[in-house]
Amino acid sequence: METEALRQRLNSALEFEEWTLHNEYKSVSVLVIYWKDGDMPGFKEEADSIGVLFADTFNYDVDYYEVPSADSHMELDRRINTFISEHRDPNDLMIIHYGGHGDPDDETSREKLAVWAALSQGGPTVDWSIIQPKLGHAKAEVLLLLDCCFAAQAARNSQNRAIPPNLELLAACAMGRKSPPPGPESFTSHVIRQLRDSLAATGSAKISDLALSLVHRNNKYRETPIHFSGLGRGRSTVSLEPLRGNPTHIGHVKRETAWLTLKVTLRDVLSDGLVSDIIQWLKARPSRKVAKLTVEAVVQSTNDMSHFIHNDARGRVAGPIFQHFSGPAKIEVLTAWNEFRSLITALATQLRNPLLIELAKEHSGKINSDQVHEIPAGPLAILLEMEKGLYTLHNIVQRNIMALPDLNTDRRSLLEAIEDPALQHLGLTPLLDRRLKALFPSDSIGSMRMEHSQVETQEAPEGLHSLVHEEIKNLGSVLVEYKTYEKSGTQSARKQLNQMEERTSNLAELLQTRDPSDLHTLKCIQWFHEPEHTRFGLVFRYPAGYDGIISLRDLINRPGTDQRPTLAQRFSIIKDVGDALLKWHLSANWVHQGIASHNVYFLKPEGQSSYEFSTPYLFGYEFARPSGGVSLGLYVEDFERNVYRHPSRQGLPSAFQKKIHDLYSFGILMLEVGMWFLVGGLFDAKMRQDLAPLEMMRIIKLNAHKRLGYQMGAAYQRATSSCLAMEFGVGLDDAVGTRLAKAFEDQVLRIMERGECLD
């Protein structure tokens, strides 16, 4: 099948309305039910509380219904029928919350079904077990929250299916058990707290996770809630998140979700039938976290990878080709390529499985939730492995291309490589562009310079904070990173100041490359010099849609657990920062000299209470310099900074900063993220005064060895220890340090990839 025809067919088939939806649901409506003449006012008070939470925090439509004492069953049945008729879109969610009494329904010949009662003894009742099956006729999904005694009896029914395929039930207690009364320890109160905590931590709340948290031993809820899910439309559980307006256009797909486009890299084994199966399978399980699926980029990238490896020069200009690689480099690339092709074959085999294909086609609710959960297990697991395989393959090719001697010495070779279409598709352009600027700084030094008169004087950041959030005329909201120096009138000082100015200009250009996202930093837009304050400033554009920023150091120092990343997110943070450092070393061939928790930042989206742990930003470039250059600027002797410095780099440094020293600092960062504890906290006030650098390093290594394995696993501990020992098994290296880069990839970053799948 021709690549272009395949691309057009897949993209045409995948162009459908649901990808434009920002939220999991188009609309969410909540019906809060309680008795008008109940004997416990607390039920109405809690109904108001959960209704306010859904209305004000989640932006859902909320309606309250008081069950009357007269004709109770008939009136509630009529209200539920109306609620169902109002929601005919399968992309809607209906939430029903009931707070009140439950009846055991255990009289002679009774079947212990769901019965609601107005009073604890006697009084009007409602046979909820008769009404509940009607919810299966709703086209929308339904979430049922029952805060009553004997609540789990809602899962029983003698004639009809009690849990329809569009309904998820979370019941306050089991059959034969009584739920806690209204108050701080009631089911509804616990649900409200758990929803708030989950929203603050992750921006959403999954009902399955909510059920698990309620039964956790650290939770004080005294009953065991019962959770049933009959969802059979591509979701195993309802996920609640604040409802925001859906965009009128398809937005930019973040890098983290690009793996979905790898589903089309089966080009060597695809048939017409298999393409149709893939399309149906993808469209059967749409996620609102994905703005759009596109095939073009990855298909072209994979084709270019194949053409590059097989020395196919179609559409290429003169530039580095696979045959220029050394023997070991060719073996490394071919090994990774063959492993990737094996994953493609495995996916093809999985997708040809008749049961999987049949289950994927079923999205009318006729299969049970266990089967639905099994649908993506095989193919999605392989797709995730394919993403890793392609990512690894790209990194291997990139690293070996950047190691080619001509690309480290010859301007013309670099320019030709930048214009090479295949290398552009392989993601080499930002790295090559950065290498060009590092080796051959712009002739117009200061082209990004702004007059310091445009900058309103701000105090330099206190303590270990490296960034200041400022408003600058004509630029708007920006982040500024300062680099200070000592004021002196000597000739050597003036010469050093000129060197600092040139380096700052060069650094700004390196951080302004076509796509700075591979460095996990924001785009540098200008720089300035303030002689009266003896400092330079790098100006980074503050991205739209965010209204808060915090450093990793401040997050670790923050009390409580409401703003902590999950275990998998911690692995991902380390991997992203490590990948950024690796790209900086390979492309610019500069050392960073600022790897530390106070130089890693997270942004907070507008209207959200939690920060985006999925996107760490690396700063701290004030001492960055060419690998063979001399450090310039004001050296600050500070214990908290020394923690991140190798002993040979503390005090009056006895060795030039090398890339291996950056990896030592990275090991300190790994230790802090792994223990979620600042390494400086290992040392009391007396130790800080008298501690020799080598003894400091010994204590740090000892803590990594003894404590880190328990927190993050043995593999993470070994990777951290490798960085702290600066032992990667690399002897002689080339001018760019690609052997060290390979060792760092293999011994550290690959370990982090495994941990990203733990959530």
Side-chain angles (χ1 to χ4, degrees), residues 171-224:
C173 58
M175 289 181 57
R177 301 289 301 179
K178 292 187 176 182
S179 61
E185 301 307 320
S186 73
F187 172 75
T188 297
S189 294
H190 276 274
V191 167
I192 290 173
R193 288 195 292 270
Q194 292 293 332
L195 287 174
R196 291 189 185 279
D197 289 347
S198 181
L199 189 62
T202 66
S204 64
K206 291 184 178 180
I207 299 304
S208 59
D209 293 342
L210 174 61
L212 289 173
S213 66
L214 287 173
V215 300
H216 195 276
R217 64 184 179 182
N218 291 334
N219 198 299
K220 302 302 182 182
Y221 186 60
R222 75 185 193 203
E223 288 296 321
T224 301

Side-chain angles (χ1 to χ4, degrees), residues 211-514:
L212 289 173
S213 66
L214 287 173
V215 300
H216 195 276
R217 64 184 179 182
N218 291 334
N219 198 299
K220 302 302 182 182
Y221 186 60
R222 75 185 193 203
E223 288 296 321
T224 301
I226 304 300
H227 176 234
F228 294 93
S229 179
L231 300 184
R233 299 180 176 180
R235 265 184 288 266
S236 60
T237 188
V238 167
S239 180
L240 302 178
E241 59 183 358
L243 201 62
R244 300 183 290 273
N246 289 311
T248 57
H249 63 281
I250 296 174
H252 174 67
V253 180
K254 291 186 177 180
R255 181 182 65 84
E256 289 81 4
T257 58
W259 63 271
L260 289 171
T261 63
L262 298 181
K263 293 181 177 72
V264 297
T265 55
L266 295 163
R267 67 175 180 82
D268 288 339
V269 293
L270 277 175
S271 64
D272 285 341
L274 188 53
V275 171
S276 298
D277 292 334
I278 293 173
I279 291 170
Q280 286 184 307
W281 183 60
L282 289 172
K283 293 176 69 173
R285 301 186 64 85
S287 169
R288 302 300 182 257
K289 303 298 183 184
V290 179
K292 178 179 172 61
L293 282 185
T294 180
V295 175
E296 181 176 7
V298 174
V299 167
Q300 187 62 46
S301 177
T302 307
N303 285 338
D304 283 338
M305 183 70 75
S306 176
H307 296 159
F308 179 85
I309 292 173
H310 295 96
N311 202 27
D312 186 341
R314 288 179 293 178
R316 294 170 56 88
V317 296
I321 58 175
F322 182 64
Q323 296 305 319
H324 291 172
F325 283 7
S326 66
K330 289 179 182 177
I331 292 174
E332 184 186 12
V333 171
L334 288 173
T335 299
W337 173 250
N338 289 332
E339 290 175 354
F340 178 67
R341 286 173 58 85
S342 297
L343 289 172
I344 293 177
T345 303
L347 177 63
T349 302
Q350 286 275 7
L351 289 176
R352 286 196 179 106
N353 185 317
L355 175 61
L356 285 173
I357 294 173
E358 195 60 35
L359 287 176
K361 292 177 181 177
E362 281 281 354
H363 43 275
S364 60
K366 297 180 181 179
I367 54 179
N368 65 48
S369 59
D370 290 337
Q371 288 175 306
V372 172
H373 183 69
E374 290 171 3
I375 290 175
L380 280 182
I382 295 175
L383 283 168
L384 288 169
E385 288 301 315
M386 283 177 60
E387 182 213 8
K388 292 179 184 177
L390 187 59
Y391 176 79
T392 299
L393 184 59
H394 270 138
N395 282 348
I396 290 172
V397 171
Q398 287 179 353
R399 171 167 34 81
N400 283 290
I401 288 177
M402 299 306 291
L404 292 172
D406 285 351
L407 296 185
N408 197 40
T409 56
D410 186 64
R411 183 189 185 101
R412 180 178 177 182
S413 296
L414 274 168
L415 291 171
E416 289 176 346
I418 289 172
E419 297 302 320
D420 189 324
L423 298 188
Q424 291 171 1
H425 286 296
L426 293 179
L428 266 295
T429 302
L431 280 73
L432 293 166
D433 187 42
R434 199 173 296 120
R435 173 72 63 79
L436 179 68
K437 290 179 177 179
L439 289 176
F440 307 100
S442 172
D443 295 333
S444 54
I445 289 294
S447 60
M448 293 176 58
R449 182 171 183 169
M450 61 184 295
E451 293 300 323
H452 72 278
S453 58
Q454 295 178 247
V455 183
E456 294 184 12
T457 300
Q458 299 282 340
E459 293 295 327
E462 295 181 359
L464 294 178
H465 296 88
S466 62
L467 290 179
V468 176
H469 189 186
E470 299 183 9
E471 295 290 330
I472 295 182
K473 186 178 180 181
N474 299 326
L475 292 180
S477 187
V478 298
L479 294 171
V480 179
E481 184 169 81
Y482 286 101
K483 175 184 179 70
T484 59
Y485 59 89
E486 283 188 299
K487 192 170 186 179
S488 174
T490 66
Q491 184 175 354
S492 61
R494 287 194 296 271
K495 180 180 179 181
Q496 187 179 74
L497 185 60
N498 290 334
Q499 292 174 334
M500 288 179 62
E501 188 167 289
E502 290 181 7
R503 184 170 293 175
T504 302
S505 176
N506 195 190
L507 178 60
E509 291 199 17
L510 293 178
L511 296 173
Q512 195 205 28
T513 46
R514 306 184 190 193

